[in-house]
Amino acid sequence: MPDPTADIGEKIFSGTENLDDFLRGLDRLTRGLPARIDADPKTVEQGLAKLVLTLVNLLRQLMERQAIRRMEGGSLSDDEIERLGQTFMKLEQRLQELKVAFGLEGDDLNLDLGPLGKLL
Amino acid sequence: VTYVYAICDVPPGAAVELRGVGGQTVDLRPWGECAVACGEGPAGVVPVTAENVLAHEHVLEALMAAGTVLPMRFGTTFHRTSDLEAVLELHGERLRAGLDRVRDCEEWGVRVLWRQPDEQPGTPSASEQTPLPTSGREYLIRRAAEEQRRRAVEARAEDLASAMHLELARSAEDSRRKVLATPDLLLSAAYLVRRDRMTDFHSAVRQLVAAHPDLRVLGTGPWPPYHFAPHLDATEGAHA
């Protein structure tokens, strides 16, 4: 059987010189929630933490946007703005700490629904 | 299990010798006036490996060279031949219409990378520069500003990508596009182009590259019309 990768260059009709830039971005495209939780005892904790923290982070972002909309719409008092802001700030700090504690990084908590795109 | 590669319309006897996923023999089983390209393999999920994906692609390329193909998604399998026949029966009309739609056409892909408007090389991002907010109000105001920036970037991306897409779609029969699949990937699109309009499409891409020296464009193809085939699903709820 001929090497199936031999003719890969023939499939590019424009921008061969840009190929490396596109390849670098590929892993971001395929990242998202793992198709399965890895059941390896060493990493199962990290996999579950990622799943749970991703959901908590999603809720935080949703609520935060709701708060921003209400603040911009003028329906929050100064006290409420301060209280909500403090709450979200602490929640975000705590999430960052947990992320570090579980060895997660960068975009690990961003929920990507694959073909459906990002949730937020 | 039966692995299905494609529904195709190739002249009888035109089929070259085909080896599919895992080295399996690929047969062209008659289906009305068309054929179903399939092979028999072991039960279980077909692993997504470079070798398997390329084997799938090679079968489709060979069929495409001989006639019209309606590609099936990688890993489309049926436990029993009767399941496959039932799905063909159920979706027969849609599949035949799908074949007609991609006749004499090929799929071409275009991806465009951009640098986001507020992104300058070498400067740290805002969160690295500025100290933590000192009050809840300041935090929310900062967040609101970030939200506004994000929306502005998205709107700019949508405008730019739409304009580019429109130029390319002119020489295509059909198209699929995605804007900002990742923050850097301004546009990822697939175009269904008639073989006799290929030069038009290529020249549209060249013009695009010339008009946007700040963007990086990657054009690929010709591919089997993956993005323009209805999904062949073992469930009744299969949809295009």
Side-chain angles (χ1 to χ4, degrees), chain B residues 31-56:
Chain B
W31 176 58
E33 292 174 358
C34 313
V36 181
C38 49
E40 294 298 326
V45 176
V46 185
V48 186
T49 61
E51 195 188 352
N52 285 345
V53 171
L54 285 169
H56 181 94

Side-chain angles (χ1 to χ4, degrees), chain A residues 1-5 7-8 10-19 21-22 24-26 28-29 36 60 64-65 67-69 71-72 76-78 80-89 92-93 107 112 114-118 120, chain B residues 19 45 51 54-55 57-58 61 64 108-113 132-141 143-145 147-148 150-151 154 178 180-185 187 201-202 205-206 209 215-224:
Chain A
M1 185 176 165
D3 176 8
T5 58
D7 55 3
I8 229 157
E10 290 170 18
K11 283 292 188 186
I12 300 173
F13 71 92
S14 174
T16 314
E17 69 282 5
N18 296 329
L19 186 59
D21 295 325
F22 284 90
R24 262 197 295 282
L26 266 189
R28 294 192 71 158
L29 262 184
R36 294 172 188 175
R60 177 189 71 81
E64 202 172 82
R65 283 183 195 185
I68 289 169
R69 269 195 290 274
M71 179 176 74
E72 287 173 340
L76 291 178
S77 70
D78 283 356
E80 286 171 329
I81 291 173
E82 182 57 35
R83 258 206 330 272
L84 279 170
Q86 288 283 356
T87 308
F88 287 125
M89 186 159 61
E92 203 211 354
Q93 282 165 2
D107 277 344
D112 192 322
L116 297 174
K118 292 187 190 65
L120 286 172
Chain B
R19 288 282 161 193
V45 176
E51 195 188 352
L54 285 169
E57 165 71 14
H58 266 252
E61 297 262 349
M64 192 166 76
W108 296 85
V110 173
R111 287 167 177 240
V112 182
L113 286 176
L132 285 174
T134 52
S135 69
R137 162 180 284 274
E138 192 191 335
Y139 174 86
L140 268 194
I141 286 172
R143 273 284 191 251
E147 271 294 287
Q148 261 177 16
R150 188 183 61 82
R151 282 199 291 264
E154 281 177 7
K178 201 167 177 187
L180 294 186
T182 72
D184 297 331
L185 193 53
L187 174 67
F201 182 76
H202 281 204
V205 173
R206 273 197 302 277
V209 172
L215 302 176
R216 278 157 295 164
V217 178
L218 185 71
T220 63
W223 301 106

Side-chain angles (χ1 to χ4, degrees), chain B residues 117-130:
Chain B
D118 59 347
E119 194 186 319
Q120 293 301 325
T123 53
S125 71
S127 53
E128 287 168 58
Q129 276 177 333
T130 44

Side-chain angles (χ1 to χ4, degrees), chain A residues 56-114:
Chain A
V56 173
N57 192 42
L58 171 70
L59 290 174
R60 177 189 71 81
Q61 285 174 289
L62 284 173
M63 291 190 300
E64 202 172 82
R65 283 183 195 185
Q66 177 69 10
I68 289 169
R69 269 195 290 274
R70 289 182 61 194
M71 179 176 74
E72 287 173 340
S75 68
L76 291 178
S77 70
D78 283 356
D79 275 358
E80 286 171 329
I81 291 173
E82 182 57 35
R83 258 206 330 272
L84 279 170
Q86 288 283 356
T87 308
F88 287 125
M89 186 159 61
K90 280 180 189 148
L91 188 54
E92 203 211 354
Q93 282 165 2
R94 189 76 187 115
L95 270 172
Q96 291 301 329
E97 288 163 17
L98 286 169
K99 218 165 83 170
V100 172
F102 282 103
L104 303 170
E105 53 188 42
D107 277 344
D108 274 351
L109 299 189
N110 277 351
L111 193 55
D112 192 322
L113 301 179

Side-chain angles (χ1 to χ4, degrees), chain B residues 106 144 149 187:
Chain B
E106 293 164 328
R149 265 199 303 278
L187 174 67

